[in-house]
Amino acid sequence: MPRMIFINFPVNDLAASMAFYTAIGFENNPQFTDETAACMVWSEAIHVMLLTHDKWRTFTSRPIPPSTSGEVMIALTFDSREAVDGITETAAANGGTADINSVQDHGFMYSRTIADPDGHVWEPFWMDPAAIPQ
């Protein structure tokens, strides 16, 4: 079996979260989707499981953090600065929040930060490894 990552997120509104992730480029895997959870696929290796709060509580008794917390920031690579800007703008237009942190532009690397409707933080970024200062 190939190595994969499944990121599990508690969500307030499953349908709204599915719509958000679809808008920013994820695809739904109906095989692992029902009224309590949805599997959203970024790539063959990266999947996000959106779980209603009741479903989340079947996995852990730890409290669900408030949407303003910064429990983790997940970075995803993109092919260009324009693609980073595009997903950020799409996120903001579909229930997310753009630029919750300052835009980072180091010349060889460019990133922005978005939060989904439940405050889960993503960092789309572009990098040119050949341009990294020595």
Side-chain angles (χ1 to χ4, degrees), residues 17-94:
S17 292
M18 288 177 69
F20 171 83
Y21 281 94
T22 299
I24 65 168
F26 286 72
E27 293 183 18
N28 178 250
N29 179 344
Q31 186 177 10
F32 297 105
T33 299
D34 61 21
E35 65 280 352
T36 66
C39 180
M40 304 302 291
V41 180
W42 177 256
S43 71
E44 289 182 26
I46 302 171
H47 299 75
V48 173
M49 292 299 301
L50 305 173
L51 308 171
T52 62
H53 286 195
D54 287 341
K55 182 73 165 189
W56 174 265
R57 289 184 183 103
T58 68
F59 292 102
T60 182
S61 60
R62 294 180 60 99
I64 295 170
S67 63
T68 56
S69 74
E71 79 265 17
V72 66
M73 181 167 42
I74 302 164
L76 294 174
T77 60
F78 285 81
D79 293 333
S80 68
R81 292 169 178 262
E82 294 78 18
V84 169
D85 290 340
I87 193 171
T88 303
E89 292 160 12
T90 300
N94 287 278

